[in-house]
Amino acid sequence: DTAVSQTPKYLVTQMGNDKSIKCEQNLGHDTMYWYKQDSKKFLKIMFSYNNKELIINETVPNRFSPKSPDKAHLNLHINSLELGDSAVYFCASSQDKTGGAFLSNTEAFFGQGTRLTVV
Amino acid sequence: SQELEQSPQSLIVQEGKNLTINCTSSKTLYGLYWYKQKYGEGLIFLMMLQKGGEEKSHEKITAKLDEKKQQSSLHITASQPSHAGIYLCGASSGPGTYKYIFGTGTRLKVLA
């Protein structure tokens, strides 16, 4: 069974479109995250949710809106896609109870990533 | 703001050779984590180090955190093609912080 699953794995879309990436974890974790990996392979946190509550929102354009219908799901919706949004987006979850001290004592489990290409 | 620098950025070694990847922080680390990423796959947790001077090993991979907790090294002994991928170090600057960052990554290729 996949611990953290993201869909789709690949997404190619035109500028200006709206798209969503879904993430689900079956580990019973309280905290989920979205990370963006840029072309230089640098991972930057975008959002974290703890028990459906937004904890971290790191300087991300308003076009990006996370939604957590329950603590096992954290979806990422992107409006008006731009060329610069092209990247690999990783979802992760951890047992951390606060949604803040990421990986302070526990490891995080990552999804396989969604490669978004905006043309 | 805290940054993590990894070196080298890329590495090509012959199978069977040893190699070392370094991760340096501009500030004292609360926790240091090593991950491996294969193309198109998620990150795989390798090891976590928290105490100054700590060293951990798993199979042929050994990670160390220096006494000052600002530098970590990942050493692979007798490398194999299965070791190929991107190695990332990650860290948080303290408990209760919302800041968690990753290093720039080291791309490793092992030639058979």
Side-chain angles (χ1 to χ4, degrees), chain A residues 24-82:
Chain A
E24 177 182 2
Q25 54 97 0
N26 61 6
L27 299 165
H29 288 166
D30 288 329
T31 303
M32 296 184 71
Y33 310 80
W34 275 108
Y35 277 80
K36 179 181 179 181
Q37 184 183 43
D38 61 24
S39 57
K40 295 182 180 178
K41 304 300 180 186
F42 187 64
L43 275 160
K44 292 185 70 174
I45 191 167
M46 299 171 69
F47 303 102
S48 84
Y49 267 74
N50 177 257
N51 235 341
K52 303 193 295 175
E53 182 183 349
L54 178 66
I55 303 297
I56 300 174
N57 185 346
E58 283 284 311
T59 320
V60 177
N62 292 335
R63 299 181 294 104
F64 289 79
S65 54
K67 285 190 172 48
S68 182
D70 55 60
K71 73 175 193 176
H73 295 83
L74 181 60
N75 304 322
L76 185 65
H77 189 75
I78 316 170
N79 290 327
S80 304
L81 278 156
E82 300 177 358

Side-chain angles (χ1 to χ4, degrees), chain B residues 10 17 48 83 88-89:
Chain B
S10 64
K17 295 293 184 185
M48 176 182 75
H83 287 127
L88 289 159
C89 62

